[in-house]
Amino acid sequence: MDVLNNLLSGFQTALSFKNVYLCFIGCVWGTMVGVLPGVGPLAGITLLIPVTFGLDPTGAIIMLAGIYYGAMYGGSTTSILMNIPGESASVVTCIDGYQLTLKGRGGAALFISAWGSWVGGTLSVIGLMLLTPFLANFATKFGPPEMFAILLIAFILLGSLGSGSFFKTMPMVLLGFLISTVGMDPLTGTLRFTHGIKELYDGIDFIPVAMGAFGIAEILITTEESLVRIIHKVKFRELLPTREELRASWAPIFRGSGIGFIIGLLPGSAHVLASFISYISEKRLGKRSEEFGTGRIEGVAGPETANNAASGSAMIPFLGLGIPTGPAPAVMMIALMIHGVRPGPLFISEQPHIFWGLVASMYIGNVILVILNLPLVSLFISLLRIPFRILFPLILLICLVGTYSVNASLFELFVLLGFGVFGYVFRKLEFDIAPFILAMIIGPMIEMAFRQSLMRSGGSFSIFWGSPISLVLILFSCLLFLWNIYRGLRPHKASWEKALEEGK
Amino acid sequence: MNKNRAAGLLFLIVGIYGSVLSLQLPLGNWREPGPGMLPLGLSILLSVSGLLWLIIGKEKKGEKRKEEKAAWHGVTQKLTTPLKILGVTLAFILVIERLGYLLTSSLYLFLLFFWISRYRWWLAIGLSLLISVGSWYFFGRILSVRLPQGFLL
């Protein structure tokens, strides 16, 4: 009953004219950034952070979350119609989606994709609504050792899910962690690696780093080569799937919801992994598996549902534990912190109107997105007709203004540019940037939990296996670490590992 | 040097640099870990990772080696546009507080449209003025973002 009452009050918050409007803006902007290759949800959310300054925290998170799940809807459109994934989670959709377009069934693929996204998105919001309060309540019992143990698991998972190769991702995680230590030590006040630069006393801000390493680096990579785009037109009546296509997509949609929800809880490239595992499952379970890759509707329904379900469940660790599992939830967390709200175990009890307002808005947003993505698909596709040589100066300017607007700091513009070069160089060297960014966020938390635990135990490491919870978590992280070493050393890679690498 | 070894070298340099600086900080002990303890541990691990990539990131044989060489061969040509963009953006950052947002963004966009996007000068001027005035109005007036005014305003 509590859940229903809370949800009802959440709907009262979310259904105010202002919040519905903000949810709509977030969904439209999210679909646009999802459609445009090179502008992912991370850049989309970061660019609108300045817009949230005049809003209350509830309105701000409703709009930013709308961008996040909206981008997942939009990403499928270009995959199906143009064979260009709008964002990395839609790479798998290209395989059968584009083949369906070539067969004249692109409209039906878009319909099934939107329908599956709605089912996956809605089911994952139900999971989010039920699981987050439970997880947050459980996490209030955590002391520093338990927090350290859970962060250690997140840390190792970052290394294992980044780009499929543990040995390639781990140095990036270590580098991100090391950079997070720049600034004043929170326990002793000692300055670390500041070189006398006043602007570094508070550490390196996450937003210019993320904008540079993703946004600027993406522009630099894209401008190396020109893109030739062939756009297939879709008529409204072509959107209707046949009875056979509808029947074939039911089971993949429900399986994709489950797969996406579970994988979305893991840190790293959960969306890419969720859509790929869903595709592999459908191929194995399908009656005519040899036809996958030639335009099977199941190959669109499963992965598209899975990546939307993953976007809902990825919000659970961030809202319930204060641990973001991906760069986009990390930016949303920073945006909430700018408004003086800190996600974590006490978030739901202290700010119930924000949490339940967000949950309710996600139900509303999923409906808005289905309406936006079906009849208006041609409108969004027309965005791709804007030449990239007009688009990239605009994106660069927005990155610069977006970064400057947060603290009005010229120094942060240098950080933006510096990390743009950093992101470009490491992308060229085929090293994944996302684990680096996430380690920057998780780093200070893990250091604090580690040092507080040792200070509490008087220097004894037994505190980390003193309680049953931390013992189980530490054992699990050890097993995970060993499994990753084995995975990194064996000569042949699993198909999902190859997919993660290709997804980058 | 292949990509893995180049990355390994970068990790090693940062790791050694971090270790040297961390050793200058109080390390503390297990009872009371100091501010330098964790950065030192991380720097050492990073150096080891870098060293491993330098050792195991061997040259590949056959086809892959050829592909890698081809990738390095075209690198100077590919770098031209990104370097131009970085240079123009650096100039933007250096002058924005002196010239103000409107003038700097107009010049910045003009250079990008004319020099990199290769639009005709009159179209580049038109586009840059339109976008800079539009963005100034959107960010500065509608969203009340504090934009540098410079000497013009």
Side-chain angles (χ1 to χ4, degrees):
Chain A
M1 269 324 269
D2 255 9
V3 172
L4 285 180
N5 285 337
N6 285 326
L7 187 62
L8 204 65
S9 73
F11 269 108
Q12 281 170 350
T13 308
L15 281 171
S16 71
F17 176 74
K18 190 186 81 184
N19 286 336
V20 171
Y21 172 70
L22 290 170
C23 183
F24 177 77
I25 295 288
C27 291
V28 173
W29 181 250
T31 308
M32 280 164 63
V33 299
V35 166
L36 290 171
V39 194
L42 179 85
I45 294 170
T46 317
L47 295 178
L48 281 206
I49 285 183
V51 179
T52 68
F53 291 167
L55 303 173
D56 59 280
T58 315
I61 193 71
I62 283 176
M63 188 173 78
L64 298 180
I67 302 170
Y68 181 45
Y69 53 80
M72 299 297 145
Y73 274 74
S76 60
T77 310
T78 46
S79 300
I80 292 168
L81 296 182
M82 296 162 60
N83 206 19
I84 296 172
E87 36 83 40
S88 52
S90 297
V91 172
V92 177
T93 313
C94 290
I95 305 171
D96 279 276
Y98 189 63
Q99 291 300 321
L100 282 164
T101 298
L102 294 180
K103 287 179 179 174
R105 301 301 300 150
L110 283 174
F111 181 92
I112 293 292
S113 159
W115 169 239
S117 298
W118 181 78
V119 174
T122 308
L123 289 178
S124 79
V125 179
I126 294 172
L128 166 80
M129 179 180 82
L130 298 173
L131 197 61
T132 314
F134 170 76
L135 190 67
N137 194 30
F138 186 60
T140 51
K141 298 179 182 75
F142 286 5
E146 288 82 9
M147 210 56 195
F148 171 77
I150 206 156
L151 286 164
L152 190 65
I153 292 178
F155 193 74
I156 298 169
L157 277 172
L158 272 185
S160 48
L161 294 178
S163 65
S165 162
F166 185 65
F167 294 121
K168 243 182 163 173
T169 316
M170 222 45 211
M172 295 304 284
V173 174
L174 292 169
L175 196 60
F177 199 167
L178 187 63
I179 286 178
S180 78
T181 62
V182 173
M184 195 181 283
D185 171 34
L187 288 179
T188 62
T190 310
L191 295 173
R192 302 190 283 198
F193 312 124
T194 53
H195 302 283
I197 301 168
K198 212 169 52 190
E199 286 86 351
L200 286 177
Y201 288 2
D202 286 334
I204 298 177
D205 198 12
F206 171 77
I207 288 175
V209 174
M211 289 275 267
F214 283 102
I216 302 277
E218 183 67 41
I219 294 285
L220 297 178
I221 294 267
T222 318
T223 48
E224 278 184 357
E225 285 153 25
S226 63
L227 289 171
V228 180
R229 294 163 177 170
I230 301 161
I231 306 170
H232 292 266
K233 285 185 180 173
V234 174
K235 288 175 188 156
F236 188 72
R237 63 170 183 275
E238 287 173 8
L239 286 170
L240 293 176
T242 61
R243 195 173 289 176
E244 197 189 327
E245 284 168 336
L246 269 177
R247 205 180 300 128
S249 57
W250 270 109
I253 284 174
F254 281 101
R255 278 194 289 268
S257 302
I259 291 169
F261 185 80
I262 292 165
I263 294 174
L265 296 167
L266 306 174
S269 307
H271 300 102
V272 186
L273 192 63
S275 54
F276 180 75
I277 289 185
S278 166
Y279 186 79
I280 289 290
S281 326
E282 293 317 319
K283 200 172 170 181
R284 288 201 178 143
L285 293 169
K287 284 176 189 160
R288 295 188 297 272
S289 60
E290 69 285 355
E291 284 181 14
F292 273 79
T294 62
R296 288 292 298 260
I297 200 74
E298 297 93 321
V300 173
E304 275 307 310
T305 308
N307 70 40
N308 275 270
S311 71
S313 60
M315 311 258 295
I316 296 174
F318 135 63
L319 293 171
L321 298 174
I323 303 172
T325 53
V331 178
M332 281 194 270
M333 187 164 131
I334 300 283
L336 273 180
M337 282 158 73
I338 290 173
H339 284 85
V341 178
R342 191 175 178 93
L346 299 175
F347 170 64
I348 301 174
S349 55
E350 285 174 356
Q351 312 276 358
H353 59 287
I354 301 182
F355 175 74
W356 290 103
L358 171 67
V359 169
S361 80
M362 287 172 79
Y363 286 109
I364 299 164
N366 274 297
V367 177
I368 291 174
L369 282 164
V370 173
I371 298 167
L372 276 178
N373 274 270
L374 289 177
L376 302 181
V377 67
S378 307
L379 194 72
F380 286 111
I381 283 292
S382 64
L383 277 175
L384 292 161
R385 295 200 172 92
I386 302 173
F388 188 70
R389 53 191 191 145
I390 288 189
L391 213 55
F392 90 83
L394 196 62
I395 296 170
L396 280 172
L397 188 70
I398 297 172
C399 282
L400 288 161
V401 178
T403 302
Y404 187 84
S405 62
V406 179
N407 292 319
S409 160
L410 205 62
F411 179 77
E412 288 186 353
L413 291 183
F414 285 108
V415 174
L416 172 88
L417 194 64
F419 277 92
V421 176
F422 170 87
Y424 175 72
V425 170
F426 277 95
R427 289 265 306 263
K428 295 298 285 180
L429 293 174
E430 291 163 14
F431 278 74
D432 197 3
I433 298 294
F436 165 84
I437 300 283
L438 282 174
M440 268 191 76
I441 296 275
I442 295 177
M445 296 185 214
I446 202 168
E447 183 188 7
M448 185 65 94
F450 177 72
R451 287 168 70 184
Q452 279 179 339
S453 303
L454 282 179
M455 283 160 86
R456 191 188 273 191
S457 70
S460 167
F461 277 83
S462 62
I463 193 167
F464 294 116
W465 46 87
S467 79
I469 299 174
S470 57
L471 176 69
V472 171
L473 294 172
I474 289 281
L475 278 176
F476 181 65
S477 58
C478 289
L479 284 174
L480 202 61
F481 184 74
L482 290 173
W483 176 66
N484 276 306
I485 298 277
Y486 159 74
R487 203 167 60 85
L489 290 175
R490 82 195 149 154
H492 299 292
K493 286 182 182 173
S495 49
W496 63 272
E497 291 170 306
K498 286 178 191 163
L500 272 176
E501 280 180 2
E502 280 161 20
K504 300 289 127 193
Chain B
M1 185 179 278
N2 67 15
K3 288 178 179 179
N4 289 338
R5 281 194 165 157
L9 187 65
L10 284 175
F11 293 136
L12 186 64
I13 291 168
V14 177
I16 292 172
Y17 183 69
S19 304
V20 171
L21 290 183
S22 304
L23 282 170
Q24 293 166 12
L25 295 165
L27 294 176
N29 49 42
W30 292 127
R31 194 183 294 268
E32 211 166 311
M37 186 186 271
L38 208 78
L40 180 66
L42 291 167
S43 303
I44 292 171
L45 283 173
L46 192 62
S47 309
V48 172
S49 311
L51 207 60
L52 279 175
W53 274 115
L54 264 176
I55 297 166
I56 62 169
K58 287 182 247 173
E59 293 286 336
K60 290 166 188 166
K61 288 174 188 168
E63 205 60 31
K64 282 196 171 176
R65 190 175 171 178
K66 274 184 193 167
E67 278 173 25
E68 215 145 57
K69 277 196 170 176
W72 282 113
H73 182 70
V75 85
T76 42
Q77 206 176 356
K78 280 185 172 179
L79 271 176
T80 316
T81 311
L83 281 175
K84 279 181 187 173
I85 293 173
L86 286 173
V88 178
T89 309
L90 181 66
F92 173 94
I93 297 170
L94 288 172
V95 300
I96 189 170
E97 290 205 329
R98 275 177 227 159
L99 298 185
Y101 177 77
L102 260 179
L103 187 59
T104 314
S105 61
S106 303
L107 289 170
Y108 177 64
L109 290 170
F110 172 74
L111 282 172
L112 292 177
F113 284 130
F114 183 68
W115 194 32
I116 296 162
S117 295
R118 306 266 176 201
Y119 279 109
R120 287 163 195 259
W121 65 268
W122 51 269
L123 193 58
I125 289 177
L127 278 170
S128 51
L129 281 177
L130 187 77
I131 294 173
S132 61
V133 171
S135 63
W136 171 79
Y137 187 77
F138 180 72
F139 286 108
R141 291 281 171 247
I142 298 177
L143 302 179
S144 306
V145 169
R146 278 179 299 164
L147 296 170
Q149 293 191 335
F151 68 89
L152 283 180
L153 292 168

